[in-house]
């Protein structure tokens, strides 16, 4: 089955509530949608949002990479030689991981359809359903407590709380306010988005431990490049530490794992360059008996569906951060995963199960 055409579309969907972290505030989910059509009529979908402060990719750079670099390499090529396809994409450009991820997931969508299997089954088939957390944006303590209560009332039992934007004392107050509102039964994960220095991170986490705030894990407390600092925090706290922005590639993961610089790894397709490279990270982590989370950027249901299928395929991927489509005012895709509160159903359709895209959110 040969690749007949590759098209890209620009999409934009407003968020119903601004998404705020230590790095940025997002009010509109912008994205590049990729459509790969094969000669037999099979269609695969992918997407890549621009996340300048993390991947460095923009709408223009993503679209250029797909249209001008990847498209000429892939048109006319056979899906039966899939390892060659993924190798071509990976080696054709340095970085540009979001653009690579969009093409990668569309290729996998086609390949799994060819095999007549849902993608998660084609990749390994470890689980059939997942449970996502919901993110509490960084705001004033009382506002975050109210948001946490709302999400719990909506059926979520795991919260990912953004911190790292202000002084440590303010972050502690944020978590105290949330715990006072929702109690200790709800699982809380903190994401500092590189907002702390190593020693102040140890002080902040130690303070939260002393206060009995019951934090499941702390995600990326220090700058992405500060791997020694990440190791210092991991070694000097009891709370598990998760590497996120410090791990883009399998080589990054190998460094983190061999140093013992983190207890967990957050894999994102937009950082890894797609499922093909993300699978290498997951398998490497498994060889170290390290569990992983699969997270996401502010993506639509297309990208999150691909990430969910990947996450469900592997035994050591035990945590899921797939709430982004729930933050949007509408769906970009018809088909794909379905939500029932915090629960995600992957479905039985071949590939990603995406039927069509919603052209009302396509930017002309």
């Amino acid at each position: 089955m040969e690749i007949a055409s590759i098209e890209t579309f620009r999409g934009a969907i407003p968020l119903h509530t601004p998404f705020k972290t230590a790095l940025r505030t997002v009010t509109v989910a912008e994205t590049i949608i990729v459509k790969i059509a094969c000669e037999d009529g099979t269609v695969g979908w992918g997407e890549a949002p621009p996340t300048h402060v993390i991947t460095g990719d923009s709408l223009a750079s993503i679209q250029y990479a797909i249209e001008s670099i990847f498209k000429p390499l892939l048109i006319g090529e056979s899906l039966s030689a899939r390892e060659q396809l993924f190798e071509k994409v990976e080696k054709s450009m340095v970085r540009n991981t979001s653009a690579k991820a969009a093409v990668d997931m569309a290729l996998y969508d086609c390949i799994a359809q060819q095999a007549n299997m849902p993608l998660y089954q084609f990749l390994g088939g470890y689980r059939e359903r997942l449970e996502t957390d919901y993110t509490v944006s960084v705001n004033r303590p009382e506002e975050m407590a109210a948001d946490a209560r709302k999400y719990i009332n909506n059926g979520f039992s795991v919260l990912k709380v953004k911190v790292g934007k202000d002084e440590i004392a303010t972050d502690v107050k944020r978590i105290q306010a949330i715990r006072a509102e929702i109690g200790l039964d709800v699982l809380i994960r903190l994401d500092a988005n590189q907002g702390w220095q190593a020693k102040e991170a140890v002080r902040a986490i130690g303070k939260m431990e002393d206060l009995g705030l019951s934090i499941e894990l702390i995600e990326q407390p220090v700058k992405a490049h500060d791997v020694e600092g990440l190791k210092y925090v991991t070694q000097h706290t009891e709370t598990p530490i998760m590497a996120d922005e410090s791990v883009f590639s399998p080589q990054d993961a190998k460094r983190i794992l061999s140093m013992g610089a983190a207890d967990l790894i957050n894999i994102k397709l937009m950082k890894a360059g797609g499922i093909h490279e993300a699978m290498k990270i997951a398998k490497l982590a498994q060889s170290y008996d390290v569990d992983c989370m699969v997270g996401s950027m502010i993506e639509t249901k297309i990208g999150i569906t691909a990430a969910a299928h990947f996450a469900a395929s592997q035994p050591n991927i035990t945590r899921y951060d797939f709430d982004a489509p729930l933050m949007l005012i509408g769906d970009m895709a018809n088909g794909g995963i379905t939500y029932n509160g915090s629960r995600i159903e992957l479905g039985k359709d071949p590939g990603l199960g995406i039927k069509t895209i919603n052209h009302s959110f396509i930017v002309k």
Side-chain angles (χ1 to χ4, degrees), residues 78-88 107-108 111 114-115 122 276:
S78 173
L79 292 179
S80 62
R82 60 180 182 269
E83 285 295 327
Q84 292 184 21
L85 299 182
F86 295 124
E87 184 180 52
K88 283 185 175 183
L107 288 172
Y108 267 112
I111 292 165
Q114 185 182 42
F122 178 82
H276 193 256

Side-chain angles (χ1 to χ4, degrees), residues 168-218:
I168 288 174
T170 304
D171 281 333
V172 173
K173 288 179 181 177
R174 288 175 169 127
I175 308 308
Q176 286 180 301
I178 291 171
R179 278 300 186 204
E181 177 64 33
I182 65 173
L184 292 173
D185 292 337
V186 175
L187 211 59
I188 288 182
R189 302 164 179 163
L190 299 190
D191 186 0
N193 283 115
Q194 310 177 61
W196 295 330
Q197 299 296 319
K199 289 186 177 181
E200 69 176 356
V202 171
R203 291 198 302 273
I205 297 166
K207 179 69 171 176
M208 294 177 195
E209 290 170 349
D210 291 343
L211 290 170
L213 295 179
S214 188
I215 306 302
E216 182 204 11
L217 60 88
I218 311 284

Side-chain angles (χ1 to χ4, degrees), residues 8-196:
T8 59
F9 312 88
R10 290 196 181 196
I13 307 180
L15 279 66
H16 53 70
T17 305
F19 177 78
K20 300 178 183 179
T21 75
L23 294 174
R24 61 181 181 144
T25 297
V26 181
T27 57
V28 177
E30 296 182 295
T31 192
I32 298 293
I33 307 298
V34 180
K35 178 184 179 182
I36 294 182
C38 300
E39 60 179 357
D40 70 343
T42 300
V43 172
W45 296 98
E47 82 158 306
T51 314
H52 316 96
V53 295
I54 298 174
T55 66
D57 298 321
S58 67
L59 283 170
S61 70
I62 293 167
Q63 198 158 25
Y64 176 86
I66 296 168
E67 293 282 356
S68 299
I69 306 299
F70 304 147
K71 184 175 178 178
L73 289 175
L74 297 176
I75 296 293
E77 294 296 317
S78 173
L79 292 179
S80 62
R82 60 180 182 269
E83 285 295 327
Q84 292 184 21
L85 299 182
F86 295 124
E87 184 180 52
K88 283 185 175 183
V89 171
E90 178 60 27
K91 291 186 175 180
S92 63
M93 296 187 80
V94 176
R95 303 181 183 89
N96 288 275
T97 54
S98 299
K100 291 176 180 178
V103 170
D104 168 283
M105 62 180 71
L107 288 172
Y108 267 112
D109 189 8
C110 291
I111 292 165
Q113 288 180 63
Q114 185 182 42
N116 197 32
M117 300 172 71
L119 181 55
Y120 76 93
Q121 290 182 356
F122 178 82
L123 294 172
Y126 192 78
R127 299 178 179 85
E128 293 186 351
R129 57 189 58 85
L130 308 172
E131 183 174 3
T132 183
D133 58 21
Y134 202 97
T135 303
V136 179
S137 288
V138 61
N139 282 299
R140 292 177 293 109
E142 58 271 24
E143 189 174 350
M144 293 176 72
D147 287 342
R149 168 54 62 192
K150 178 173 68 175
Y151 303 146
I152 296 304
N153 290 345
N154 288 340
F156 293 86
S157 59
V158 183
L159 299 178
K160 180 175 178 178
V161 179
K162 295 291 186 177
V163 292
K165 189 175 182 179
D166 303 296
E167 295 180 355
I168 288 174
T170 304
D171 281 333
V172 173
K173 288 179 181 177
R174 288 175 169 127
I175 308 308
Q176 286 180 301
I178 291 171
R179 278 300 186 204
E181 177 64 33
I182 65 173
L184 292 173
D185 292 337
V186 175
L187 211 59
I188 288 182
R189 302 164 179 163
L190 299 190
D191 186 0
N193 283 115
Q194 310 177 61
W196 295 330

Side-chain angles (χ1 to χ4, degrees), residues 220 222-232 234-235 243-265 280-281 284-285 287-288 290:
Q220 198 63 45
V222 299
K223 298 295 183 185
H225 62 80
D226 188 10
V227 177
E228 290 292 343
L230 187 66
K231 180 179 179 180
Y232 178 85
T234 300
Q235 291 181 334
D244 180 6
E245 290 92 344
S246 291
V247 177
F248 274 60
S249 66
Q251 293 76 24
D252 293 338
K254 183 178 180 180
R255 183 184 181 198
I256 294 289
L257 292 164
S258 63
M259 291 175 58
D263 301 297
L264 303 152
I265 290 178
K280 296 177 184 178
I281 297 172
L284 183 60
S287 72
Y288 280 83
V290 167

